[in-house]
Amino acid sequence: MSTGLNMRVKKTSSHKITIEIDREDFETFCNACGLFKKEFIKLLDASEKEHREGRITERNSLYELLKK
Protein backbone atom coordinates (compact mmCIF):
# COMPACT_ATOMS: atom_id res chain seq x y z
CA MET A 1 0.00 0.00 0.00
CA SER A 2 1.50 3.32 -1.00
CA THR A 3 1.19 6.43 1.09
CA GLY A 4 0.72 9.98 -0.05
CA LEU A 5 3.69 12.28 -0.34
CA ASN A 6 3.24 15.98 0.24
CA MET A 7 5.66 18.00 -1.84
CA ARG A 8 5.65 21.00 -4.11
CA VAL A 9 7.47 21.02 -7.40
CA LYS A 10 8.81 24.38 -8.50
CA LYS A 11 10.24 24.66 -11.99
CA THR A 12 13.09 27.14 -11.77
CA SER A 13 14.40 26.88 -15.32
CA SER A 14 14.14 24.65 -18.34
CA HIS A 15 16.96 22.45 -17.00
CA LYS A 16 16.33 22.37 -13.23
CA ILE A 17 13.45 21.45 -10.97
CA THR A 18 13.30 22.26 -7.26
CA ILE A 19 11.08 20.25 -4.93
CA GLU A 20 10.06 21.15 -1.41
CA ILE A 21 9.24 18.30 0.96
CA ASP A 22 8.28 18.17 4.62
CA ARG A 23 10.68 16.51 7.04
CA GLU A 24 8.01 13.97 7.90
CA ASP A 25 7.77 12.90 4.26
CA PHE A 26 11.52 12.79 3.60
CA GLU A 27 11.87 9.10 4.56
CA THR A 28 8.99 8.17 2.25
CA PHE A 29 10.62 10.15 -0.55
CA CYS A 30 14.01 8.43 -0.02
CA ASN A 31 12.34 5.04 0.01
CA ALA A 32 10.47 5.81 -3.22
CA CYS A 33 13.77 6.82 -4.88
CA GLY A 34 15.50 3.63 -3.77
CA LEU A 35 17.94 5.32 -1.39
CA PHE A 36 17.35 2.65 1.28
CA LYS A 37 18.07 -0.29 -1.02
CA LYS A 38 20.88 -2.55 0.13
CA GLU A 39 22.74 -2.22 -3.19
CA PHE A 40 22.71 1.57 -3.00
CA ILE A 41 23.96 1.56 0.60
CA LYS A 42 26.80 -0.78 -0.40
CA LEU A 43 27.79 1.58 -3.22
CA LEU A 44 27.91 4.49 -0.79
CA ASP A 45 30.01 2.49 1.70
CA ALA A 46 32.48 1.49 -1.04
CA SER A 47 32.71 5.06 -2.24
CA GLU A 48 33.34 6.37 1.28
CA LYS A 49 36.09 3.76 1.81
CA GLU A 50 37.81 4.74 -1.43
CA HIS A 51 37.57 8.41 -0.46
CA ARG A 52 39.20 7.75 2.92
CA GLU A 53 42.01 5.87 1.14
CA GLY A 54 42.62 8.84 -1.15
CA ARG A 55 41.17 7.31 -4.30
CA ILE A 56 38.94 10.17 -5.32
CA THR A 57 37.08 10.34 -8.62
CA GLU A 58 35.33 13.52 -9.67
CA ARG A 59 31.67 12.83 -10.47
CA ASN A 60 29.19 14.94 -12.35
CA SER A 61 26.12 13.16 -10.98
CA LEU A 62 24.94 10.42 -8.67
CA TYR A 63 23.89 8.46 -11.76
CA GLU A 64 27.57 7.78 -12.52
CA LEU A 65 27.81 5.74 -9.31
CA LEU A 66 24.77 3.68 -10.21
CA LYS A 67 26.11 2.82 -13.69
CA LYS A 68 29.08 0.88 -12.20
Side-chain angles (χ1 to χ4, degrees):
M1 182 173 153
S2 64
T3 60
L5 184 62
N6 294 324
M7 69 176 167
R8 282 177 272 163
V9 177
K10 295 182 175 182
K11 188 172 182 179
T12 57
S13 74
S14 61
H15 300 288
K16 295 182 182 182
I17 296 176
T18 303
I19 53 174
E20 289 182 3
I21 187 168
D22 294 334
R23 289 181 187 172
E24 295 81 22
D25 291 326
F26 184 66
E27 187 173 334
T28 303
F29 174 76
C30 290
N31 191 40
C33 293
L35 299 181
F36 292 141
K37 290 185 178 180
K38 192 177 293 188
E39 299 84 19
F40 183 74
I41 301 294
K42 285 181 182 180
L43 281 173
L44 290 178
D45 288 341
S47 178
E48 186 176 339
K49 180 183 175 195
E50 289 179 1
H51 185 268
R52 281 193 306 266
E53 293 173 354
R55 294 192 310 252
I56 301 170
T57 303
E58 292 290 326
R59 302 281 184 201
N60 294 319
S61 69
L62 186 59
Y63 181 71
E64 292 180 29
L65 285 176
L66 300 175
K67 290 192 317 184
K68 271 188 162 181

